[in-house]
Amino acid sequence: MNHVDRHDPETRRWVTEAIRRVEADAHRSCDTHLHVFPLPTRWGLNLYLKDESVHPTGSLKHRLARSLFLYGLAGGWIGPSTTVVEASSGSTAVSEAYFARLIGLPFIAVMPASTSPEKISLIEFYGGKCHLVDDPGAIYEESRRLAAETGGHFMDQFTYAERATDWRGNNNIAESIFTQMQLEPHPEPSWIVVGAGTGGTSSTIGRYIRYRRHLTRLAVVDPEGSAFYPSWCSGDDTVTAPGSRIEGIGRPRVEPSFMPAVIDRMIQVPDARSIAAMRWVREVTGRDVGGSTGTNVAAAVDILREMRAAGERGSVVTLICDGGERYRGSYDDDAWLAERGLDITPHLDDLRAFLSEG
């Protein structure tokens, strides 16, 4: 009988140790906090912010990066000499640079040139290299080219986000939300509100809701300039768009990890309202949050208003995706907003009035 044996005990030992290090990080991190947003008690409604900014790399993308590394290691794509390459608008690259350093591998982030300097500095802090491109739509092919050139592995978060995470549970973000809600006044949320970036978070939560037979509805928010919202409305997954100014969510194309069938509602949020809500959250809670969190909260406010008008009681859960310190030179800078014609004043006024309604 003929046979070919490619077993490499040294590589297998390296992969085993790398997986142990990545899993150990998860055990050290434990889970993220679920904060109560202050709403008037008389409303009978509760809003919760799940704070993903407390992960070691400061964002929701820490979960995704961990899953992608485990997926690549277990699948045999990442070995002891692999250069890891990723296409990212920033936060995923920060988290992947962290995990690459954790297991001793080089990392290259391919990002739009418009990515905030704060995120670029974080990637470099963790030992990663930043490869900036002028056209956001070119990051995919440029990542493939660099991976081929270095003999590396293109992680491709936009394809593998929904595959790398165990949507049935295993302490994924959906299971964590429902576990933390168990002792709350309305333990089964009426709505969970999340943004669409890779599509991985909404796919995980949407499938988990159905798998566990919850009545919770999933609302996915999308900033202006993104392809997800018009695609979901039309059913055409070939729709393209110029891309989003809200980093971390919104894409110029519909990504493979986006699963429209598990979404109950999509909400498009203007950029000025996202940034106004980001600042409003800080005013009300003292928590310094980023622009994508503002997008989430802006949509959650609309849903809460709708529930109040219908006389409903219940809970809404959304996410703090990352911290506002990453956007000091952009969303937190009035001159930056003025240069781009973004007037947040009417939106801020509306949000400030929300808590005194009725």
Side-chain angles (χ1 to χ4, degrees), residues 49-354:
L49 308 181
K50 186 161 177 60
D51 191 356
E52 295 293 290
S53 72
V54 298
H55 284 295
T57 53
S59 83
L60 167 67
K61 300 299 186 180
H62 193 84
R63 291 182 187 268
L64 173 58
R66 181 194 300 134
S67 295
L68 288 168
F69 266 87
L70 290 173
Y71 195 62
L73 288 163
W77 300 318
I78 299 175
S81 59
T82 302
T83 296
V84 178
V85 181
E86 183 61 285
S88 171
S89 61
S91 287
T92 302
V94 172
S95 298
E96 288 187 8
Y98 168 91
F99 283 107
R101 186 178 74 171
L102 187 69
I103 61 175
L105 295 180
F107 175 76
I108 302 173
V110 181
M111 301 183 298
S114 59
T115 302
S116 71
E118 292 88 351
K119 287 184 179 177
I120 292 171
S121 295
L122 280 170
I123 293 164
E124 292 173 344
F125 172 79
Y126 289 122
K129 295 181 179 179
C130 298
H131 184 86
L132 304 181
V133 297
D134 292 327
D135 177 10
I139 62 175
Y140 315 97
E141 285 307 315
E142 188 64 4
S143 296
R144 292 187 183 93
R145 185 190 69 78
L146 285 172
E149 185 179 283
T150 61
H153 172 59
F154 173 32
M155 292 287 257
D156 196 1
Q157 59 166 322
F158 300 108
T159 296
Y160 294 106
E162 61 89 4
R163 307 179 198 181
T165 301
D166 183 357
W167 53 267
R168 296 172 185 83
N170 194 23
N171 196 35
N172 66 29
I173 193 169
E175 185 176 62
S176 175
I177 288 169
F178 281 93
T179 299
Q180 290 176 313
M181 286 291 294
Q182 286 177 355
L183 300 180
E184 299 304 314
H186 307 286
E188 184 173 70
S190 299
W191 289 92
I192 295 177
V193 180
V194 298
T198 60
T201 300
S202 60
S203 297
T204 296
I205 293 173
R207 287 184 289 185
Y208 182 88
I209 287 170
R210 286 159 175 73
Y211 179 62
R212 295 296 182 185
R213 304 180 298 281
H214 291 298
L215 298 178
T216 302
R217 286 165 288 177
L218 175 64
V220 172
V221 296
D222 206 31
E224 61 183 80
S226 172
F228 289 124
Y229 179 79
S231 170
W232 192 82
C233 292
S234 66
D236 180 3
D237 64 5
T238 66
V239 167
T240 58
S244 170
R245 289 182 290 194
I246 305 300
E247 289 186 28
I249 56 175
R251 302 295 307 157
R253 70 176 194 182
V254 180
E255 303 295 352
S257 284
F258 182 67
M259 299 182 66
V262 304
I263 299 167
D264 296 292
R265 178 184 296 184
M266 283 205 72
I267 302 170
Q268 188 179 54
V269 179
D271 290 347
R273 191 164 183 82
S274 293
I275 296 165
M278 161 189 161
R279 296 192 184 188
W280 179 65
V281 169
R282 185 168 58 203
E283 285 182 10
V284 175
T285 70
R287 301 193 181 282
D288 193 8
V289 304
S292 56
T293 302
T295 311
N296 289 342
V297 172
V301 165
D302 284 354
I303 287 174
L304 288 163
R305 277 178 163 153
E306 178 184 293
M307 292 174 70
R308 285 197 65 223
E312 295 180 32
R313 292 176 175 263
S315 58
V316 176
V317 179
T318 192
L319 307 179
I320 296 176
C321 303
D322 61 6
E325 71 281 353
R326 298 184 175 190
Y327 309 98
R328 292 288 178 254
S330 54
Y331 312 141
D332 227 11
D333 183 343
D334 289 340
W336 187 94
L337 298 182
E339 287 172 8
R340 288 154 181 80
L342 291 168
D343 182 8
I344 68 172
T345 302
H347 298 289
L348 258 179
D349 291 344
D350 177 69
L351 291 164
R352 286 167 176 160
F354 168 66

Side-chain angles (χ1 to χ4, degrees), residues 10-66:
E10 287 300 318
T11 296
R12 182 67 66 84
R13 278 192 286 271
W14 182 90
V15 169
T16 299
E17 173 60 15
I19 290 174
R20 185 200 65 77
R21 292 184 186 185
V22 174
E23 290 280 74
D25 175 85
H27 283 270
R28 288 192 299 272
S29 303
C30 293
D31 212 342
T32 60
H33 308 302
L34 190 67
H35 303 299
V36 179
F37 189 95
L39 298 179
T41 305
R42 66 183 182 276
W43 290 2
L45 297 170
N46 300 101
L47 173 60
Y48 300 87
L49 308 181
K50 186 161 177 60
D51 191 356
E52 295 293 290
S53 72
V54 298
H55 284 295
T57 53
S59 83
L60 167 67
K61 300 299 186 180
H62 193 84
R63 291 182 187 268
L64 173 58
R66 181 194 300 134

